Structures are given as C-alpha cells and as structure tokens.
Amino acid sequence: MIKFVCNDYNEMSSLASEIIAGQIVGKPDTVLGLATGGTPIGTYMELIKKRLDFSKIAIFNIGEYYPISNSNTQSNRFQLFDSFINKINAKRENVHTLNGEAADPNSECENFDKKISHMGGLDMVVLGIGLNGHIGFNEPAERLILSCHLGDLTARTIEEHAKFFDADETVPHKSMTMGMGTIFAANRIVLLANGANKADAVSQKFSGVITTTCPATLLNLHHDVTIIMDKAAASKI
Ligand code: GLP
C-alpha cells in the first residue's frame, strides 16, 4: 500500500488526479470504477482541466440509492454526470451507472456485473470512505457480498446522507452497490479521504486488523492500493 498525506483537500485532489491521469495516458482504454460523494469532486475537477482523451475509457459508477429517480440531483448517476462525465469526452455508451428506477434491481445488479466482466474487469477503482468505513455502499456487516447487490443502508449512513435531501424527501433506505469481489478484482485501487470526520474510519483502516464491520480494512489485503488523505483525515493514524 502506498500512503500519501497531503496538506489539504486541494493537494489531495491534485495528487489523485495525477495518479488517475497516469493510468489513463498509460492505458487509453482503461476500465474505471468511480465513486461519487463529495470527496472525489475536486479530483474530477482537476482531471477535467487536464483535457485528457477519455474517448476509449469505460466508466462504471460504483453505487446508487434505491429507489431513486434518475433526475433526482442526489442520485449518484446525476452527480457523476454533473461533476465529471458531462465535462469530458467519454462516450455515453461507455458510461455505466446503476438505474435507481429499475423495476427489478436484482437483475439490474446482475447485468452491471456482466458488463464489467465483459470488459475484462476494472483496471482502476477510485473510492471514498464512509464515516463507518463503508466503501461503495458496502456497509459494515457480519458478511459482505462479492457481487453487485441491493442492500440496506445502515441508520448511520441514512442519517449522514439526510443532509443531501430536501426536508420533504424520504432518504432512500437501500442502495445498489458494486460488490467487494468486483472492487477487489480491480488491478489498482485509489482510496481518497479528507476531513476530520473521516479520521476514525481512516484510523481503523490502519489499525492492523481486518474486519467486515469496517469494509475499508479489507483493502489491506489488496496488492495495489494507494490511499491519499489530507492531514485532517490522517490525524488519528
Ligand atoms: C457514499 C458513497 C460512497 C462515498 C461515501 C463517502 O455512501 N456510496 O461512494 O465514497 O459515501 O461520501 P463523501 O465523499 O461524500 O464523504
């Protein structure tokens, strides 16, 4: 594992964008798994500025609330397009998101995995980390699921995400997420964390223990993980 502690969010975003850009330039048909959430937005902004060629890149968004309308500005699909895809030259047919409106979420998940397998798996996945150590929407649990699946959000995540939704909206209680197996099969994993509120989750990641009750700790088993944090997130390591 390679670990970088940056001075602040901007430095973290800039460094992460350099690493992702290196991957894209080195392999113009890279298959990328991308997180949404606040953490990677600065990284995506830096990548946009680089004017790289994304025309052969395939992108898989790693999660989605369920159910949620595709036009809801809080859907992961909307956020990924708004913060990144709409500003690069990726081909729309190469961008794959989970449909929060799917009538059959289980077959939606199954098809998502098939598409990833068809591409030969992910070359790189870019992750954030939840306050409780979740990655994607793989929440702390006794058992974690390898494949893409529909799952329950924990009360903590629902509470954490409530601030993103209007007061009269119901925060989705479920999500579809890329599974741990698919994330782990990626050649390279880049984990981003910023802010003091992530310090506890990050310190668990570095505690020398692996546990499904903090899914991020399992990243210690992967052969190529780069973790990029700001000082605040790294303050309890
Ligand atoms: C969400 C997403 C994750 C994201 C995490 C942290 O639940 N499913 O992909 O990494 O929360 O979000 P943020 O970066 O906004 O702190």
Side-chain angles (χ1 to χ4, degrees), residues 204-221:
Q204 270 211 65
K205 154 86 184 64
F206 285 98
S207 65
V209 170
I210 55 166
T211 167
T212 58
T213 59
C214 180
T217 61
L218 295 173
L219 295 174
N220 291 308
L221 298 174

Side-chain angles (χ1 to χ4, degrees), residues 129 198-208 217 233-237:
I129 183 169
K198 298 291 173 71
D200 286 332
V202 167
S203 78
Q204 270 211 65
K205 154 86 184 64
F206 285 98
S207 65
T217 61
S235 61
K236 293 189 180 171
I237 297 177

Side-chain angles (χ1 to χ4, degrees), residues 34-41 61-65 76 126-132 134-139 153 157 160-161 163-164 175-177 191-194 197-198:
L34 295 182
T36 43
T39 308
I41 286 181
N61 194 6
I62 62 174
E64 186 57 278
Y65 296 111
N76 289 7
V126 179
L127 301 171
I129 183 169
L131 295 182
N132 60 8
H134 73 227
I135 51 177
F137 272 124
N138 292 282
E139 291 277 44
L153 296 175
T157 299
E160 181 192 349
H161 288 212
K163 60 178 180 283
F164 301 125
S175 67
M176 295 179 284
T177 184
L191 177 70
L192 308 175
N194 74 287
N197 63 341
K198 298 291 173 71

Side-chain angles (χ1 to χ4, degrees), residues 162-191:
K163 60 178 180 283
F164 301 125
F165 289 84
D166 291 338
D168 59 343
E169 269 184 309
T170 312
V171 185
H173 284 205
K174 287 183 182 289
S175 67
M176 295 179 284
T177 184
M178 191 180 278
M180 295 297 283
T182 310
I183 292 172
F184 269 75
N187 289 335
R188 300 173 73 187
I189 296 177
V190 177
L191 177 70

